[in-house]
Amino acid sequence: MFVIEKLNDLRLSAKLLLIQFFCVIIPLLATDTILVCSIVKAEEISNLKEEKDVADAISYTVSNTFETNIVLLQNIYTNQYINNFIAMDFDSPLAYYREYLNFKKNSLYEIIVASGPLRAAVYVDNPTILNGGFFKRTEVIEKSPWYAKCLQERFATTMVFDYAAYLGRTEQRHISLLRVMDFYHKGQGKNVLRVDVDYSKLLRDIMSAHYEPLVYVCVDGKIVLSNEQKGGVTAPFEDLTTKIVTQAAYTKSFIVLNKKFSVYVMPVQTVKLNVVKDHAGIIVAFVLVNIFLPFVFMYLVNKSFTVRLQKLDNVVSEEVHSEGQLNVFEGTYGNDEIGKLIENYNKMALRMNAMIENEYRNKLRQQETNIARQKAELLALHSQINPHFLFNALECIRMHSLIKDEQETAEMVEKLAVMVRQNTEWVHDTVKIKDEIQFIEAYFDLQKYRFGDRLNYKIEVEDCARDYLVPKLGIVTFAENASVHGTERKGEPSWIYVRAFADVQNLHIEVEDTGAGMTEDELSSLQDKIKHVSIESIQQNSKIGILNAVLRLNLLYDDCVEIAVASEKNKGTLVSIQIPLESADIMRSLTEGDYGKSFTC
């Protein structure tokens, strides 16, 4: 507790310096020392293990290659069929050729020799055998040193390393296994079996391993294999130098056919250790910089913290202005956490000052203005639709009265009363779909007095769609248009379908008729008017029924409604209204006083 109390009394700058010394400088020096020692030790252990693994891998690769070739040599050497063949006397070259083909067919020659990368040949002292293929005459190798050496060591398999132009090829390195072919006649004859190790493949296997250290495989003072990428198969074998022997980090030996193979793995270049040794002065200077620069940087960080915090404290501590406004932090304050704190404080102060300056009252006045404008627009639309619709209804009664008696006229007036009541009681611009449908049924019943069997209708409304809101006389306008412009223009009977249903995302309302339909030009003109409908466009058109309904739908749902019209001449017309279900749900849940509220699609 004593330490905490003392720390609480220190200034922020002093606390930052203590953090710098105890949490940065001292741990930095300690960890740097431990780290350097650990790196040195770890690299020594890692390098030794890597060098041993490389030596083991090279030894395995070379030994396995020679063992494969030794097995091949032994199979050929002990093969009775081959030994009998080279001992035969042939009457003519043709007889030899036929017997040779028979030999290839019945022996394991194709499996043992002809397949794979292994190469072998039998040199025979038999003048009746032709020189070529698997069998060759000893006369082509009589002067070769390796042939003499093989005859000298006839009771054992001999390994030779030579650099020569073998069988007409260019000079290159060869590693071969030799054995006198005397399995059935020990110590007799000059026939020799030679199996050549695939030197190129062996060298590729070593190179493709991508060992990091240099590796030298040596026999009898010669470097027979290396991953140094110098010379390759076309260069003579190099001599083993004293430098390789003395500087090798790891050496391993193994025996193949009484030949001692030595693998010398050179040390891995330790870059980090070399840097430590070669640049000790720079490292010392770097450690000193690690102490000096943090002090300078901490001083700057200290200033960055304390200066802005002190200014912010002064701004917050000052009394508010006489007019009741909060003080604002002036000047730059950066993008860090302190800067964000100052920025948020300024935003809060400005927001509160703006509210004090009657921002809230200004918004209220703006909302009142918008509501008044919407009411004025609706009233203008109402004044247009009322006489328009009533005129059509009364005209229907007038025409029917000319051809019917008083009883039917009374029934028509009763139907009209339902419509007039719905039309005149215009407290709100919205009505539930089920009430609008009741109005449509009354209208269709009234129209049937006029058109008789020429007018047929069917109304389908799902229960889930009955309580959603639409503009009053909105659907009726489309139904009326289907009756007047569809049925009336078509001399034969027609149908009108009114449907309302909802899916997962939208509320759908459809009015379809099988009446006169429209031409392509008429349809295109109507679609364009619907797309660009406005108060001004309605005022400029003499026929405003559909455009009025479209505009009121857009006003009610803030342009979220999609209205599509499809029509074909003498086939009929389909009007599809699609309202987002989210907006429809919100509108349905509003009270009557909130009907003017807008929504976002």
Side-chain angles (χ1 to χ4, degrees), residues 387-401:
H388 171 77
F389 183 81
L390 289 176
F391 173 79
N392 290 337
L394 293 174
E395 178 64 15
C396 177
I397 296 175
R398 186 189 69 80
M399 292 179 62
H400 194 74
S401 297

Side-chain angles (χ1 to χ4, degrees), residues 484-492 494 513-524 527 543 565-574:
V484 174
H485 298 288
T487 303
E488 184 174 359
R489 292 182 182 180
K490 193 172 183 179
E492 58 191 49
S494 62
D513 68 78
T514 61
M518 290 180 282
T519 64
E520 293 185 1
D521 292 340
E522 291 173 338
L523 176 62
S524 177
Q527 290 174 336
K543 299 179 179 180
V565 181
S567 182
E568 185 177 354
K569 190 65 176 177
N570 297 323
K571 296 293 184 180
T573 302
L574 170 63

